Amino acid sequence: MSRRLRRCLAAFVLLCAFEAGAERVVSFDVDVHLEASGEMLVVEQIVYDFGELQRHGIYRDVPVRYDRATADWRIALEVVSVGDENDAARPWTTSREGRNLRIRIGDPGRKVTGLQHYRIRYRVSRAVLFFEEHDEIYWNVTGNAWRVPIDAASASVTLPRQVAADLRVGCFTGAQGSRYSECEANVTPAGTGWFSTRRALAPGEGLTLVLGLPKGVVHEPTASERWLARVRDFLGIATLLP
């Protein structure tokens, strides 16, 4: 599909959603704090417009299983808190939905409408990729499971120490696996990676960031640590104990 045709289709979908008064994500802003251990603290701030509809809340589907070469790679994700813009707690539960971890946010006994703010904090491990000459964060910022359009999305990545001159950044937009780059990727003078969309995202489209790091910024797991992590993926810790 050509770039021009894809843009026309995306614009048509967004126009239909607007005319129907459908719900949408007004803004999707993410702060990623990379630690020296290789773990990440992710803070998502989502402004969601339900319009005149009444809903219990939203689903946030975070990809936790990826294809890495010939392997099925899994990251570990632990939700820390879910609240509104003032950090007032919102009810939430988690479940597995295919390759995603689903965070279900909302009160089953109460409905909301109009503009709603959601602030989600979670910790991620095993999300850094290690190569011979560099390390890399390849992070699907929004996921591709949204059934509503996203007006604008952005992300920042803060590192454990400043290495601005050696950072390489990139980004992708569109459906899962898309190589289109209708987005901005920059490194700030303070050494923070900054990424943002240049257009609205249609349902099923997302923003993915890529940030290349010099070796040594984060701890690289040993061969035995990697082996244990892979075994846990498929056997579980209970199987290892005997």
Side-chain angles (χ1 to χ4, degrees), residues 50-237:
F50 291 96
E52 298 181 356
L53 301 174
Q54 292 190 349
R55 304 292 194 202
H56 292 288
I58 63 172
Y59 293 128
R60 170 63 175 112
D61 291 330
V62 185
V64 293
R65 292 177 58 190
Y66 295 85
D67 293 325
R68 297 284 186 248
T70 58
D72 181 13
W73 187 256
R74 309 182 187 192
I75 65 173
L77 188 153
E78 179 184 2
V79 178
V80 176
S81 65
V82 178
D84 61 14
E85 69 272 28
N86 299 315
D87 276 336
R90 289 184 181 270
W92 59 274
T93 59
T94 60
S95 61
R96 291 298 298 269
E97 296 290 333
R99 290 181 173 268
N100 299 324
L101 176 74
R102 168 164 289 182
I103 308 172
R104 180 177 180 175
I105 307 172
D107 187 342
R110 177 175 174 268
K111 292 185 177 181
V112 296
T113 189
L115 283 177
Q116 298 290 323
H117 295 252
Y118 298 91
R119 183 174 293 166
I120 309 170
R121 289 184 176 89
Y122 54 87
R123 298 191 66 84
V124 178
S125 57
R126 300 174 59 202
V128 179
L129 305 178
F130 298 95
F131 300 98
E132 185 174 340
E133 297 183 351
H134 75 285
D135 301 329
E136 184 177 281
I137 299 174
Y138 189 95
W139 185 247
N140 191 329
V141 176
T142 59
N144 294 87
W146 292 98
R147 298 182 180 181
V148 299
I150 300 174
D151 291 351
S154 69
S156 66
V157 181
T158 303
L159 305 180
R161 61 183 177 87
Q162 187 171 355
V163 287
D166 299 317
L167 294 181
R168 299 179 181 179
V169 294
C171 58
F172 302 101
T173 52
Q176 184 71 37
S178 169
R179 307 303 291 180
Y180 290 105
S181 298
E182 295 177 299
C183 49
E184 301 288 343
N186 300 289
V187 179
T188 70
T192 298
W194 174 256
F195 312 84
S196 62
T197 54
R198 288 203 300 257
R199 64 168 179 85
L201 302 173
E205 292 188 322
L207 169 67
T208 296
L209 68 84
V210 184
L211 190 148
L213 307 167
K215 304 295 289 186
V217 174
V218 297
H219 167 70
E220 181 171 356
T222 64
S224 60
E225 289 172 336
R226 294 187 184 190
W227 182 83
L228 285 173
R230 294 295 293 158
V231 170
R232 290 193 195 99
D233 282 346
F234 297 99
L235 298 182
I237 190 64

Side-chain angles (χ1 to χ4, degrees), residues 30-32 40-44 120-124 139:
V30 180
D31 293 316
V32 178
M40 302 191 311
L41 173 63
V42 181
V43 182
E44 298 182 351
I120 309 170
R121 289 184 176 89
Y122 54 87
R123 298 191 66 84
V124 178
W139 185 247

